[in-house]
Amino acid sequence: MTAKVIDGKAFAAKVRGQVADHVARLKAESGLTPGLAVVLVGEDPASQVYVSSKGKMTVEVGMNSFEHKLPADTSETDLLALIKSLNADAKVHGILVQLPLPSHLNSDLVINSIDPAKDVDGFHISNVGLLGTGQKSMVPCTPLGCLMMLRDHHGSLAGMNAVVVGRSNIVGKPMAQLLLGDSCTVTIAHSKTKDLPAVCRQADILVAAVGRPEMITGDYVKPGATVIDVGINRIERDGKARLVGDAHYESCAAVAGAITPVPGGVGPMTIACLLANTLTAACRAHGLAEPKGLTA
Ligand code: NDP
């Protein structure tokens, strides 16, 4: 079997197009322009790339982008003061603090100081609780993007066995909550799971979010299953820098029914969902109808 490739790049372009259409309508009908503020502390090269591409795509869909670049030695007091001012700013509907923060800053404290209604990353404790209890929340972008691709590929996910490998707060746990919300039977696996390949072979949907290059090989995959590869790992092979996933693409694609590639799978969907979340936050803030198909 050769798996169908789930083209996250094309799907993300479609989602950004839907966001842009909705933003244009909002501007025309309500005079409202959604705005996203991104806060970057320090000069981590990968974070700088993410932040500049987020800013560029925010502007491309017609929204306002506010970038706040702070030095690496910014004090917690100054960062919290900035977030307080963004919380109070009516032009700002979404706030994202780029992680990881420098080690002298308490990430939990910083994230939980964001107004939950503007928490477009969905990491605030209130949004985590709302998602866990099946209530309307801001949903973390990466798992939301995975869910959209799965719904698009399968239609209903009800009754499917899903295995999520990884239990982080930003990917694994919210991914499992979303799959449960769509009535999958969900297993969360992690580094202490016994006989991981056998657990994974139970999955109709296998989500790899481990942060280990190409760890999930074809012998972890049930024939015909859908593999969602969240991993982004920079490695060197044959003297060249490469980006690979947490799944070993060739061996998994030989067994799976469908698979997301790296690059061009989950990654582009994450930014598209950030834009969708900002639009959703703006609509909610003004009591307007939310965009259809762009929320969980
Ligand atoms: P974390 O390091 O926070 O979590 C990794 C998880 O994988 C942990 O729960 C860990 O288990 C588990 N794990 C590690 N080794 C093994 C193993 N040998 N067997 C089973 N489970 C294992 O990573 P993140 O969740 O932040 O990220 C996961 C991946 O997704 C990374 O490659 C990251 O780069 C990528 N990513 C991609 C994004 C995108 O936009 N596409 C966005 C965010 C992340 P335990 O808890 O027991 O230690």
Side-chain angles (χ1 to χ4, degrees), residues 79-287:
L79 180 56
L80 292 175
L82 171 62
I83 292 172
K84 194 174 174 192
S85 74
L86 296 174
N87 283 341
D89 187 339
K91 295 190 297 304
V92 173
H93 303 96
I95 302 170
L96 178 149
V97 176
Q98 185 66 44
L99 299 176
L101 285 171
S103 57
H104 68 282
L105 298 168
N106 178 339
S107 300
D108 287 338
L109 183 75
V110 170
I111 297 302
N112 290 324
S113 74
I114 298 172
D115 176 350
K118 297 189 178 188
D119 167 39
V120 281
D121 251 344
F123 296 158
H124 189 289
I125 196 79
S126 296
N127 283 315
V128 175
L130 290 167
L131 178 63
T133 49
Q135 299 180 68
K136 195 185 264 192
S137 64
M138 295 308 303
V139 176
C141 305
T142 299
L144 178 58
C146 297
L147 183 75
M148 282 187 191
M149 288 192 286
L150 284 166
R151 283 178 177 169
D152 185 64
H153 182 69
H154 288 285
S156 169
L157 309 182
M160 296 179 86
N161 283 339
V163 175
V164 180
V165 191
R167 56 174 162 179
S168 73
N169 290 334
I170 63 168
V171 187
K173 283 181 197 159
M175 184 76 253
Q177 293 286 4
L178 289 173
L179 291 166
L180 192 59
D182 270 28
S183 299
C184 292
T185 303
V186 183
T187 303
I188 306 177
H190 46 76
S191 66
K192 305 287 186 295
T193 297
K194 287 185 185 145
D195 199 355
L196 185 62
V199 171
C200 291
R201 279 195 299 271
Q202 300 297 312
D204 304 309
I205 294 169
L206 178 59
V207 181
V210 271
R212 294 188 182 267
E214 301 178 325
M215 190 192 99
I216 306 291
T217 49
D219 55 330
Y220 288 59
V221 179
K222 173 174 156 179
T226 298
V227 177
I228 302 290
D229 188 354
V230 181
I232 299 181
N233 305 289
R234 286 170 181 81
I235 62 159
E236 206 178 291
R237 182 175 293 149
D238 305 330
K240 283 187 191 155
R242 287 175 199 274
L243 206 61
V244 298
D246 291 342
H248 182 267
Y249 187 80
E250 286 76 18
S251 63
C252 288
V255 185
I259 187 165
T260 59
V262 178
V266 176
M269 284 301 289
T270 297
I271 298 191
C273 288
L274 172 67
L275 304 176
N277 277 352
T278 305
L279 171 61
T280 299
C283 292
R284 286 180 187 167
H286 290 264

